Amino acid sequence: MKTLAPASEAELAEIVAKTSEPLRVIGGGTRPIGVPVNAQPLTTSGLSGVELYEPGALTLVVKAGTPVAEVERTLAAEGQRLAFEPMDHRGLLATTGEPTIGGVFAANVSGPRRIQCGAARDFLLGVRFVDGQGQVIRNGGRVMKNVTGYDIVKLMAGSYGTLGVLTELSLKVLPKSHATGTVLIEGLADAQAVRALSRALASPYEVTGAAHLQRGADGTPVTMVRIEGFENSVAYRAGELKKILSAFGEVKIETDPERTSAEWRSVRDVEVFHGRDGDIWRLSVKPSDAPVIVSRLNGAEAVYDWGGGLVWLLVPQSSNATEIRAAVAKTGGHATLIRGNRAAGVFQPLAPAVAALHDGLRARFDPRGILNPGLMGRAA
Amino acid sequence: MEMPAPNPAILARKADLVEKLQSIMPRDAVIHEPAETRAYECDGLTAYKCPPLAVVLPASTQEVSDALRICHEMGVPVVPRGSGTSLAGGALPTEDSVILGVARLNDVLETDYDNRFIRVQTGRTNLSVTGAVEEDGFFYAPDPSSQLACAIAGNIAMNSGGAHCLKYGVTTNNLMGVTMVLMDGTVTEIGGAFLDAEGLDILGLLCGSEGQLGVVTEATLRILHKPEGARPVLMGFNSSEVAGQCVSDIIKAGVLPVAIEFMDRPCIRATEDFAGAGYPDCEALLIVEVEGSDAEIDEQLETIMEIARGHDPVELRQSESEEESKRIWLGRKSAFGAMGQINDYMCLDGTIPVSQLPYVLRRTEELSKDFGLDVANVFHAGDGNMHPLILFDANKPGDLETCEALGAEILKLCVEVGGCLTGEHGVGIEKRDLMLHQYDPADLEIQMAVKDVFDPKWLLNPAKVFPLASSDARRIAAE
Ligand SMILES: Cc1cc2nc3c(=O)[nH]c(=O)nc-3n(C[C@H](O)[C@H](O)[C@H](O)COP(=O)(O)OP(=O)(O)OC[C@H]3O[C@@H](n4cnc5c(N)ncnc54)[C@H](O)[C@@H]3O)c2cc1C
């Protein structure tokens, strides 16, 4: 099927209004998350470019098809960044292409810093999108605080293109930090590691990353805590954290910019699982429940981020999804099948009353059911 | 401000309604005598008053659900209420509505420091949430100036912010889960003690929905460890424009203060009389606060004060003690109260891009002259959330109307420069009729369609947020 590639929002709106075919909305196509959709492909790649950038107001307005790399370059030139640290899914999902900023928000993709500063959705100030009837809708704006009417902005973040096709986004950006430090402990078992991360996160030292890898670079477990800021402040806080964490094992401090940035990129992109066979799941749970859940699942390997609250699981291919979902449902949280046989359902099934709200919203935003139909469908 | 006429059929069934409500909760939890319902006739927007048909004060999620189901069956509108401090008329009843107050739902249900959350019933006040975890070194970050009185319920419904949200975000950034009862009595659970609730972002939608989508009875909130220390610096300038420029330069420099607050001369004078915070008498004052260890604070303040020096301040003073810091904040936090002592005032809440501060302040001054009413400014400058206070005399015929007209002009100005009508107080009835200045009809239509999903009969707080003419068809269809 030929991919539709509108060059403007107006053209996109017309396509959607006139189509009688369902559409599969694509940004860069690097994040095939959700139940696969068999429909006419439509890419936002023609909607690209920065519309407005005010570093002094920490705001950026950008078209949805703009490559993430271009956004990051623009911001870096002013010493700023996307603070929520969006993950690059290409390594994990073996995809190619250029991730777009629209895709980041459509999937609400955040990285390790989410634990401290919030998720992608927390940085989205305003949207323009084309709904399922081809109408252009605006919500939010380009200011930091806005409670004028309902927050449809948040609803669009993480809706995977099922409520509308994003065309323009206003973002809050933040200054880059001057220095980074990683406090490391090797050899901890999962439960101990999560306890250590909790101690660090419950300190006043503004931890901006808290992860545990069952197998670090040399195969031994490594528990990592990140702090960022001015150089002296990083050194001070690393020292204080070292005191707190010494009870758990020998503590090392890493401040080399290249090595710290490689370490956290590895956590962000779940590099340990790149190129490995098996299904990949993403769990959001209460941190202290995480090691318990993992230990209940046979043959599961885990990468813990967000102090344990985010678990990346590698399990043998076609592992029992019901078992994983049940383990999560028991303690609270949700499990998403990121890689594996997605046809059987991807997202955590919702309680009937909440599912009814989802269905109702979808019916209002996309009455004909033509935008990524079934992508967020309920698991069987 | 117009409100829809009460439905006579509902008024006629008052006795029946009261009896039904009394059958599901203790008698003292159902208030229906006119002398007593009067206590619920308005919220913080005191210019508008109307006693409700009845008031219910449920003590459990089950009672909330039962009360809503009864009202739903009888077609009676319900206005949820927390502490009634809304400045937008969000909790203003109509004569034919039931006020559902959550004040009796005020327990702490769970505190968990390892996982850094607290679960509370939503009638609990904002400050007492922090109060519950403070001794252990934790706090709940969003800090509206009304925090002593306002409830988490209202904070969620209005997506409230505070002085420190420049760093910590507003309510929506700190809410992890809720128990919400829909108008038909259905109880739902969204999110919980984990990040990024499942499915579509219903939590995000709920924050700021002004009690129109569901009644929130419980909330899981993120708590944080208190910083080691915090210290404000006071800066005085001879012009508001220069102060505005200084704000922008601080933000650009890469230091992220927890708060940047702005006051102009009328506000400075009023609060100085009231709180004695030692503010300099100048055109514009900034309070900039940073956090960390002593050494970290020194380092950040050094950068910030260096920037300020470049703007020729008339005063530049770091707080020297805990005591002094408290006084500096007392001045800011009591600004509304202080103004209230000397005048009637209306508090606006538009947000603008920070880069437009100087222009908007200048235009506001011109408008103030045109309308013949003084305007004082006190606001969260770091995120462009303005609070112009229009001073008027409630006893002088026509003054309130002039004040509202000036208010509308200032808010339109905010929209014109790329901002919005309200940054944290909400639309309520106050800004309802200005919504079409910010949004096109299609933009409002999809918002109303969201309400259709949660409350198909339009019974929950129906006459708010949307211009009455826009929501008429839906409200009338519901009757
Ligand atoms: C002096 C003063 C200073 C203020 N300062 C600030 C400030 O700094 N920042 C700020 O953001 N606001 C501020 N406000 C405004 C106000 O305090 C906030 O909007 C607050 O969140 C309202 O809380 P409340 O419990 O009083 O809610 P109410 O006034 O009772 O209700 C507000 C809205 O919430 C809805 N609601 C109430 N309970 C529920 C529920 N259980 N479920 C669903 N909806 C519900 C109501 O229907 C209404 O629409 C200030 C107000 C005053 C008077």
Side-chain angles (χ1 to χ4, degrees), chain A residues 54-59 78 80 108 110 114-119 121-123 129 131 135-152 154-155 157-160 162-163 172 174-176 178 194-195 197-199 201-206 230-234 236-237 240 282 284-289 306-307 309 332-334 347-348 350-351 353-354 356-362 364-365 376, chain B residues 110 112-117 138 158-159 161-162 165-168 170 172-173 180 182 186-190 193-205 207-210 212-213 222 225-228 248 251-256 291 293 296 299-300 303 349 351-355 380 383 385 417-427 435 438-440 442-443 446-454 465-466:
Chain A
E54 285 190 358
L58 304 176
T59 44
E78 294 288 337
Q80 298 185 336
N108 190 26
S110 322
R114 191 264 173 269
I115 190 79
Q116 189 248 353
C117 72
R121 57 85 96 171
D122 294 298
F123 288 85
F129 63 95
D131 75 3
Q135 294 186 91
V136 176
I137 310 274
R138 216 162 36 97
N139 192 262
R142 65 176 171 101
V143 288
M144 303 283 175
K145 278 169 79 184
N146 188 344
V147 294
T148 319
Y150 295 167
D151 196 346
I152 307 285
K154 298 281 187 304
L155 187 62
S159 65
Y160 293 92
T162 64
L163 299 180
K172 173 182 174 181
L174 284 177
K176 274 195 166 161
H178 296 245
V194 169
R195 234 168 273 143
L197 296 176
S198 286
R199 287 292 300 278
L201 286 162
S203 78
Y205 305 118
E206 296 198 10
F230 290 113
E231 214 161 304
N232 292 338
S233 162
V234 167
Y236 163 75
R237 284 180 287 148
E240 294 300 305
R282 181 183 182 277
S284 177
V285 294
K286 186 161 85 179
S288 60
D289 288 338
W306 301 354
H334 50 94
F347 299 96
Q348 187 81 12
L350 303 165
V354 180
L357 294 177
H358 279 59
D359 292 346
L361 288 168
R362 217 161 263 131
R364 297 305 196 288
F365 281 69
M376 289 185 84
Chain B
E110 190 180 359
D112 184 335
Y113 298 123
D114 280 343
N115 295 300
R116 301 163 303 280
F117 71 88
F138 284 77
M158 291 312 200
N159 193 16
C165 65
L166 184 58
K167 176 170 174 190
Y168 295 110
V170 296
T172 191
N173 312 113
M180 167 179 64
L182 300 177
T186 307
V187 179
T188 61
E189 302 278 343
I190 320 265
F194 48 90
L195 295 174
D196 300 341
E198 63 288 341
L200 295 173
D201 196 350
I202 306 276
L203 277 185
L205 193 56
C207 283
S209 63
E210 308 206 8
Q212 291 197 305
L213 301 185
R222 180 172 83 130
H225 195 286
K226 279 194 263 186
E228 283 183 274
S248 184
I251 290 175
K252 240 193 307 199
V255 251
L256 195 65
E291 290 178 345
S293 67
E296 290 176 298
E299 189 177 11
Q300 296 174 72
T303 311
D349 172 48
T351 308
I352 57 166
V354 180
S355 52
H380 315 299
D383 43 34
N385 188 190
V417 301
C420 66
L421 297 171
T422 171
E424 57 181 20
H425 294 168
V427 178
M435 285 292 270
Q438 180 161 343
Y439 287 121
D440 291 335
D443 304 330
I446 203 124
Q447 296 182 32
M448 290 190 287
V450 166
K451 181 163 171 63
D452 293 341
V453 173
F454 286 75
V465 183
F466 304 105

Side-chain angles (χ1 to χ4, degrees), chain A residues 145, chain B residues 43-44 79-92 100 102 122-123 143-147 149-163 209-217 332-333 336-337 345 349 380 385 387 423-426 428 461 464:
Chain A
K145 278 169 79 184
Chain B
D43 57 21
V79 178
R81 181 179 169 108
S83 303
T85 67
S86 166
L87 292 168
L92 174 74
L100 190 159
V102 290
T122 56
D143 60 338
S145 313
S146 51
Q147 67 187 147
C150 66
I152 294 300
N155 291 179
I156 294 171
M158 291 312 200
N159 193 16
S160 302
S209 63
E210 308 206 8
Q212 291 197 305
L213 301 185
V215 175
V216 182
T217 58
R332 166 60 186 90
K333 291 212 171 189
F336 292 173
Y345 71 82
D349 172 48
H380 315 299
N385 188 190
H387 289 315
E424 57 181 20
H425 294 168
N461 217 4
K464 312 288 168 68

Side-chain angles (χ1 to χ4, degrees), chain B residues 321-337:
Chain B
S321 66
E322 188 89 352
E323 186 74 7
E324 189 177 356
S325 302
K326 274 208 182 110
R327 242 180 319 125
I328 288 173
W329 276 110
L330 178 68
R332 166 60 186 90
K333 291 212 171 189
S334 54
F336 292 173

Side-chain angles (χ1 to χ4, degrees), chain A residues 85-94 109-112 211-215 262-276 279-283 301-306 310-314 338-339:
Chain A
E85 213 177 357
M87 155 183 197
D88 183 339
H89 277 86
R90 285 176 292 188
L92 191 62
L93 300 181
V109 179
S110 322
H212 174 68
L213 310 180
Q214 286 178 327
R215 302 204 304 178
E263 280 161 3
W264 290 98
R265 190 173 51 243
S266 150
V267 173
R268 186 192 76 177
D269 296 346
V270 207
E271 285 177 7
V272 207
F273 292 169
H274 290 194
R276 308 256 319 264
D279 291 353
I280 293 174
W281 288 78
R282 181 183 182 277
L283 276 44
E301 263 183 58
V303 167
Y304 298 85
D305 195 358
W306 301 354
L310 173 66
V311 185
W312 294 96
L313 276 185
L314 180 69
I338 296 293
R339 197 181 76 190

